[in-house]
Amino acid sequence: MQFIDLHTQYKRHEETIDKAVKRVLEDGHYIGGREVGELESTLAAFVGRRHAIACANGTDALKIVLMAKGIGPGDAVFTTPFTFFATAEVVGNLGATPVFVDIDEKTYNIDPAKLDEAIGKVKKAGTLVPRAVIPVDLFGQIAAFEAIVPVAEKHGLWLLEDAAQSFGAQRGGRRSCSFGLASTTSFFPAKPLGCYGDGGMIFTDDDELAVLCRSVAVHGKGRDKYDNVRLGLNSRLDTIQAAILLEKFKIFPAELEARDEAARRYSTWLSGKVTTPFIEPGCCSAWAQYCVRSPRRGEMMAALKTEKIPTAVYYPVPLHKVTAFSYLSPVTLPVSEAVAQDIFALPMHPYLEVSEQKKIADVITSC
Ligand SMILES: Cc1ncc(COP(=O)(O)O)c(C=O)c1O
């Protein structure tokens, strides 16, 4: 059994994907080809943003926005410790300070009340300037922006939605990648909308920020790429990957539906035995991961492994505890620390068979 089955997906759509790749190979515009622009306008329309800027990966997407906004030493950027390292790594890379805020116990997303407290504390201490918040849409569920926005506004901070795991999700009728000043996503193969390599995208409604992000992504270009007006990066989405994404986007709604059905089956069969995911009213997750909690995690993962069923732990160490951030002042964030102790992820992808899920549920319930 596969944890995420990309091979079945490819085999089901092999003909159209191969054709799309061949078109690019024949066309010869391997960098910045027509498909890149087409993907940008298609996905901007899908999420409901004015601008989309393709780049090399989801990490660069975050970094480009922070660079475009001039984030640097002395700045505090608030985020969750319960996320992939990249979310906070980019903040540290730019010399700014990530400030970790504990999560909500049910959704595992940043807790808006604790965010307010944390910003207040940093303001009071006066050593760092609070600048921005990066809420992460963890495991595919969009963070509680309706509660986060007023907190950010109260303190004069802007929001960057890290939607690497949530492309396709909805909250209150709005799509992932439409919240905050800017949003970023990842097209890493295992993501809800993944390519066959690396890729990322930035979304914003802010015309000026869009120009700045495009400049940063292309060596700080001004009028053209030899008019370098700022320090930037070399961060491009390959034309072949854009062509693959355009094909995969056609099957994306059906895949989202299949993921949602798989999640509902898991939740029906597992509730009572483990803590199943909590999806807030008015939300649809993109189900990047299906994670459950149990104090008997070790036993359950071992039993599944015996049956050749893969599992994974997201995330074993919250970021305030990882070695790379040991230079920051120590903090205790009890919810993140507790969740890290007993959470684990089950296989989740659109091609998961009902019989496979039944077997997984049987193994867990017999533990
Ligand atoms: C929450 C989050 N942010 C950022 C990233 C970085 O994306 P990429 O791997 O495309 O650089 C990931 C990827 O796993 C992620 O899960």
Side-chain angles (χ1 to χ4, degrees):
M1 198 182 300
Q2 302 286 312
F3 188 66
I4 294 174
D5 189 353
L6 295 169
H7 187 251
T8 299
Q9 183 196 49
Y10 172 60
K11 284 291 154 194
R12 298 247 179 116
H13 306 284
E14 184 173 4
E15 205 180 313
T16 50
I17 291 172
D18 284 3
K19 263 193 199 152
V21 171
K22 186 105 196 299
R23 265 198 309 275
V24 178
L25 294 178
E26 296 284 356
D27 187 46
H29 292 95
Y30 307 128
I31 298 287
R34 181 184 54 78
E35 286 81 356
V36 177
E38 195 182 325
L39 183 72
E40 288 176 339
S41 48
T42 303
L43 298 192
F46 176 71
V47 305
R49 288 281 209 185
R50 281 167 62 80
H51 304 280
I53 299 118
C55 63
N57 53 63
T59 307
D60 276 7
L62 290 162
K63 195 181 208 173
I64 289 165
V65 175
L66 296 179
M67 288 173 76
K69 292 293 291 175
I71 293 294
D75 292 336
V77 177
F78 299 80
T79 192
T80 163
F82 206 63
T83 176
F84 181 59
F85 185 61
T87 309
E89 181 186 28
V90 291
V91 176
N93 273 340
L94 296 176
T97 303
V99 178
F100 295 113
V101 178
D102 213 353
I103 54 170
D104 176 85
E105 195 165 11
K106 284 162 99 178
T107 64
Y108 318 135
N109 280 329
I110 197 166
D111 181 327
K114 290 176 189 154
L115 174 65
D116 190 26
E117 270 171 42
I119 301 170
K121 261 195 205 161
V122 170
K123 275 187 163 169
K124 204 165 164 211
T127 44
L128 295 170
V129 181
R131 293 284 308 276
V133 186
I134 311 181
V136 176
D137 303 338
L138 199 75
F139 303 148
Q141 177 163 227
I142 299 173
F145 277 89
E146 67 287 347
I148 296 168
V149 169
V151 174
E153 279 175 354
K154 172 178 149 191
H155 294 285
L157 310 192
W158 56 271
L159 294 173
L160 168 54
E161 177 194 14
D162 181 347
Q165 301 181 8
S166 66
F167 197 79
Q170 292 189 44
R171 185 174 187 102
R174 277 173 68 177
R175 286 197 197 277
S176 156
C177 290
S178 71
F179 294 85
L181 175 69
S183 313
T184 57
T185 199
S186 164
F187 302 126
F188 182 78
K191 298 299 188 212
L193 180 63
C195 59
Y196 291 153
D198 275 307
M201 199 166 275
I202 300 159
F203 298 90
T204 184
D205 291 318
D206 185 310
D207 299 346
E208 204 180 317
L209 181 62
V211 171
L212 282 172
C213 286
R214 220 174 261 290
S215 165
V216 170
V218 187
H219 300 291
K221 72 167 184 172
R223 282 185 313 278
D224 58 59
K225 70 175 175 179
Y226 301 111
D227 174 37
N228 308 96
V229 295
R230 59 182 58 82
L231 297 178
L233 301 171
N234 172 24
S235 190
R236 304 184 277 237
L237 178 71
D238 292 348
T239 311
I240 286 179
Q241 299 301 344
I244 291 165
L245 284 164
L246 280 167
E247 284 310 313
K248 286 206 175 189
F249 185 65
K250 293 179 190 161
I251 57 167
F252 187 57
E255 288 198 342
L256 280 174
E257 189 51 43
R259 281 175 189 273
D260 203 46
E261 278 167 20
R264 266 184 264 146
R265 273 194 297 272
Y266 268 145
S267 293
T268 304
W269 292 335
L270 295 174
S271 67
K273 183 71 187 175
V274 292
T275 306
T276 53
F278 173 72
I279 300 302
E280 292 172 275
C283 290
C284 304
S285 176
W287 297 111
Q289 304 296 346
Y290 184 92
C291 290
V292 296
R293 292 181 71 188
S294 169
R296 291 165 63 210
R297 169 173 83 181
E299 205 185 311
M300 289 175 175
M301 287 177 72
L304 290 163
K305 193 173 176 194
T306 306
E307 296 297 324
K308 299 198 166 37
I309 297 166
T311 56
V313 174
Y314 304 110
Y315 292 91
V317 187
L319 296 187
H320 63 294
K321 296 274 187 194
V322 301
T323 310
F325 287 124
S326 57
Y327 69 91
L328 298 172
S329 309
V331 281
T332 304
L333 302 170
V335 182
S336 309
E337 289 163 34
V339 177
Q341 292 301 310
D342 62 9
I343 197 161
F344 67 108
L346 303 177
M348 170 50 83
H349 58 83
Y351 304 92
L352 202 54
E353 300 285 348
V354 177
S355 57
E356 292 178 311
Q357 284 194 277
K358 189 81 186 83
K359 185 171 172 190
I360 295 167
D362 286 347
V363 175
I364 292 177
T365 44
S366 64
C367 271

